[in-house]
């Protein structure tokens, strides 16, 4: 099997306060069906360092404050090679007329529509730091949707098979994540750091 990828990325920072990262990834997999081997996966992220703004300079106890937004897609081709081909294998010898012959049977059903599994995720986050970053952390909301899951799809047994690899269903994961870090003790010979998630 072969996997080929092309990636382009742009990073831009303005006045050390406004940040942008954008990328395009173009992936191709030999394991997927003709017409579905290639797909484009974009992503973009922006950040605003609020602490660098003039109206925040008088807040001495605040060391860091940054707002982040991001969106991105990734692909998955997690399937064995030749799932779209319908391979065959030799069966036992059997009598055909007055001679023995070998019978061949298909190993699996072909799926000429099998394509990429696609995951799309949105993130909103806030990074913070207090008292010269002695206390720091982040609060983040994520929403991840995976579509066209590559799974075994049940088919009628009258086909001679019980399932076929196909793009079926979707699953969503979403929630909040909070990280808090603190430098409890910081001396020349000893340090104690706590991290909570």
């Amino acid at each position: 099997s072969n996997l080929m990828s092309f990636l382009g990325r742009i990073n831009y920072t303005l006045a050390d306060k406004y940040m942008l990262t954008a990328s395009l990834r173009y992936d191709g997999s030999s394991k997927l069906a003709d017409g579905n081997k290639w797909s484009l996966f974009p992503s973009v992220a922006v950040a605003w360092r609020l602490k660098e703004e003039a109206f925040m300079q008088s807040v001495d106890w605040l060391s860091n404050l940054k707002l982040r937004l991001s969106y991105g897609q990734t692909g998955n081709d997690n399937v064995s090679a030749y799932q779209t081909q319908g391979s065959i294998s030799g069966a036992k010898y059997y009598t055909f007329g007055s001679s023995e012959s070998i019978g061949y049977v298909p190993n699996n059903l072909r799926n000429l529509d099998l394509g990429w599994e696609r995951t799309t995720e949105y993130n909103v986050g806030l990074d913070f730091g207090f008292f010269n970053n002695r206390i720091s952390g982040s609060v983040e909301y994520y929403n991840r949707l995976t579509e066209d899951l590559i799974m075994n799809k049940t088919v009628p047994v009258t086909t001679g098979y019980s399932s076929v690899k196909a793009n079926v269903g979707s699953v969503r994961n979403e929630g909040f994540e909070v990280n808090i870090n603190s430098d409890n003790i910081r001396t020349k010979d000893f340090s104690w750091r706590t991290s909570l998630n």
Side-chain angles (χ1 to χ4, degrees):
S1 62
N2 288 296
L3 180 67
M4 181 176 285
S5 300
F6 299 93
L7 174 66
R9 176 178 291 164
I10 295 173
N11 294 316
Y12 182 74
T13 301
L14 178 63
D16 203 30
K17 291 187 286 189
Y18 314 106
M19 289 157 274
L20 168 71
T21 299
S23 66
L24 282 176
R25 182 173 177 137
Y26 193 51
D27 290 341
S29 172
S30 66
K31 296 190 286 187
L32 303 175
D34 287 338
N36 294 321
K37 293 183 184 296
W38 290 92
S39 191
L40 187 67
F41 301 102
S43 68
V44 62
V46 294
W48 177 23
R49 297 186 64 189
L50 289 94
K51 176 57 180 167
E52 301 301 317
E53 296 291 350
F55 62 85
M56 296 294 291
Q57 297 302 310
S58 61
V59 186
D60 296 332
W61 51 269
L62 187 62
S63 311
N64 179 36
L65 189 62
K66 180 169 72 172
L67 179 65
R68 298 178 282 107
L69 301 168
S70 65
Y71 158 86
Q73 287 188 337
T74 57
N76 179 17
D77 67 339
N78 187 21
V79 64
S80 300
Y82 311 114
Q83 287 291 312
T84 61
Q85 300 302 311
S87 61
I88 61 173
S89 62
K92 293 181 179 179
Y93 284 91
Y94 68 97
T95 303
F96 184 75
S98 60
S99 61
E100 285 190 335
S101 299
I102 298 177
Y104 291 89
V105 295
N107 292 320
N108 58 286
L109 279 176
R110 299 178 68 185
N111 184 349
L112 299 178
D113 297 318
L114 188 65
W116 286 92
E117 182 178 292
R118 183 179 297 268
T119 299
T120 305
E121 183 167 354
Y122 302 87
N123 287 74
V124 180
L126 183 69
D127 299 330
F128 56 84
F130 306 118
F131 312 115
N132 199 26
N133 285 323
R134 291 295 291 268
I135 300 174
S136 63
S138 64
V139 178
E140 188 162 353
Y141 168 75
Y142 63 90
N143 190 320
R144 182 183 306 120
L145 175 64
T146 303
E147 299 175 288
D148 296 327
L149 291 166
I150 298 177
M151 300 178 67
N152 287 323
K153 180 181 179 181
T154 302
V155 295
V157 292
T158 53
T159 62
Y161 303 91
S162 60
S163 63
V164 62
K165 284 286 185 188
N167 297 106
V168 293
S170 63
V171 62
R172 182 184 299 276
N173 295 299
E174 63 178 325
F176 290 91
E177 186 168 346
V178 179
N179 294 293
I180 299 176
N181 307 305
S182 65
D183 282 333
N184 304 314
I185 300 174
R186 191 191 301 173
T187 66
K188 179 181 177 182
D189 300 318
F190 180 78
S191 64
W192 172 21
R193 183 175 174 83
T194 304
S195 296
L196 299 175
N197 179 274

